[in-house]
Amino acid sequence: MSRQQQPRRPAPPPGLLIVDKPAGMTSHDVVARARRIMGTRKVGHAGTLDPMATGVLVLGIERATKLLGHLALDRKTYLATIALGASTTTDDAEGEELTTAGPAAVEAVTDDAIAAGIAVLTGEIQQRPSAVSAVKVDGKRAYARVRAGEEVELAARPVTVYRFDLLATRRSPGRIELDVVVECSSGTYVRALARDLGAALGVGGHLAALRRTTVGPFTLAAARSLEVLEDRPELSFDLDKAVATAFPRRNVDGATARALRHGQRIPAVGLGGTYGVFDPDGHALALAADEGSVARAVVVLLPA
């Protein structure tokens, strides 16, 4: 049988893949690999993870890509290592050193000073993103402007650091390494926390390692490596389970389900925000939101 006559691989079912991203790959690299593994072009990611970072990356497959812009992924948790004693151009270990503190200055940084610096960076704070972040400046990513040789100074913006706990401290000449857990709002840069902590302590700081352990309701417990996916290309959550996991649930009767299938508005139910609508068989029909006395379908999840 010629290559042109070979049967097409059937499209995979819709759902979410929770990938344990390896270091050294961009989120786009992971999407490209997932497309090959799952046999479909219809793959997208719900928020990027820096190349040096590992951990939870949420991918949508087939119709579940419609969910990605609506997932409540505004709370994330990281395990990180912060290196004190040097600052870098990228605020992480991949950048060139900007400043280096002498061994005596680093040795003078006390545990109490570190604890106080962490406390200042906990709660609702104003944070200036790294110049090489993905924040857009006049329609162009900040990192792209930096690569083009431009000077970029981003404005501080409000973020929330719900938890910034010190797990371990390691000291060596000219360097202090802090293992920390950070739980924060979307848009918070852990490398900016490392930079600002080092600056406050007067010795400079940068992010040495980063692992994302949770994104919204999705955790490392559900994540699989790309190697495992190569051997078993299976969804982490099918479409129904993905909607039930990520959104409040509204069950409707047959008549209401038929009305929704025909594009009609249905009565409101009093749920705040976006919620999933499920038919009597437990299948997700749509994401909806109440608008006064009726509910509007935000995303229709039925097959085309």
Side-chain angles (χ1 to χ4, degrees), residues 89-90 130-155:
T89 53
T90 57
S130 169
V132 292
S133 69
V135 174
K136 285 189 175 181
V137 180
D138 295 330
K140 189 175 181 181
R141 301 290 185 186
Y143 62 74
R145 291 185 176 276
V146 170
R147 288 173 185 165
E150 297 181 35
E151 289 285 335
V152 176
E153 183 76 17
L154 298 174

Side-chain angles (χ1 to χ4, degrees), residues 248-271:
R249 181 181 184 121
R250 176 184 180 180
N251 297 313
V252 298
D253 58 25
T256 305
R258 283 191 295 274
L260 195 59
R261 287 191 181 99
H262 287 93
Q264 301 173 17
R265 294 200 172 195
I266 61 176
V269 74
L271 287 172

Side-chain angles (χ1 to χ4, degrees), residues 73-252:
L73 306 181
D74 54 349
R75 199 160 177 143
K76 304 174 183 181
T77 309
Y78 299 87
L79 291 173
T81 299
I82 294 172
L84 300 176
S87 63
T88 72
T89 53
T90 57
D91 301 329
D92 62 26
E94 296 188 334
E96 298 177 6
E97 285 192 356
L98 282 174
T99 64
T100 304
V106 175
E107 187 178 353
V109 175
T110 65
D111 291 344
D112 287 345
I114 292 170
I118 288 174
V120 169
L121 293 170
T122 305
E124 296 180 359
I125 64 172
Q126 292 286 323
Q127 185 184 73
R128 177 174 56 84
S130 169
V132 292
S133 69
V135 174
K136 285 189 175 181
V137 180
D138 295 330
K140 189 175 181 181
R141 301 290 185 186
Y143 62 74
R145 291 185 176 276
V146 170
R147 288 173 185 165
E150 297 181 35
E151 289 285 335
V152 176
E153 183 76 17
L154 298 174
R157 57 187 185 176
V159 298
T160 303
V161 179
Y162 303 102
R163 181 184 177 196
F164 191 171
D165 292 345
L166 179 60
L167 303 179
T169 303
R170 292 181 297 279
R171 292 176 178 268
S172 59
R175 184 180 176 97
I176 302 173
E177 288 190 349
L178 309 175
D179 292 335
V180 301
V181 58
V182 175
E183 185 179 355
C184 56
S185 63
S186 185
T188 305
Y189 287 88
V190 181
R191 54 185 156 158
L193 293 176
R195 175 200 67 206
D196 293 345
L197 178 61
L201 294 170
V203 294
H206 64 273
L207 187 65
L210 185 68
R211 182 161 177 75
R212 188 156 69 187
T213 59
T214 71
V215 180
F218 305 109
T219 71
L220 274 176
R224 286 173 290 164
S225 69
L226 290 169
E227 289 72 26
V228 169
L229 286 170
E230 289 274 10
D231 292 336
R232 289 188 292 112
E234 301 169 353
L235 295 171
S236 306
F237 299 89
D238 64 26
L239 185 60
D240 297 333
K241 188 174 180 182
V243 175
T245 300
F247 300 92
R249 181 181 184 121
R250 176 184 180 180
N251 297 313
V252 298

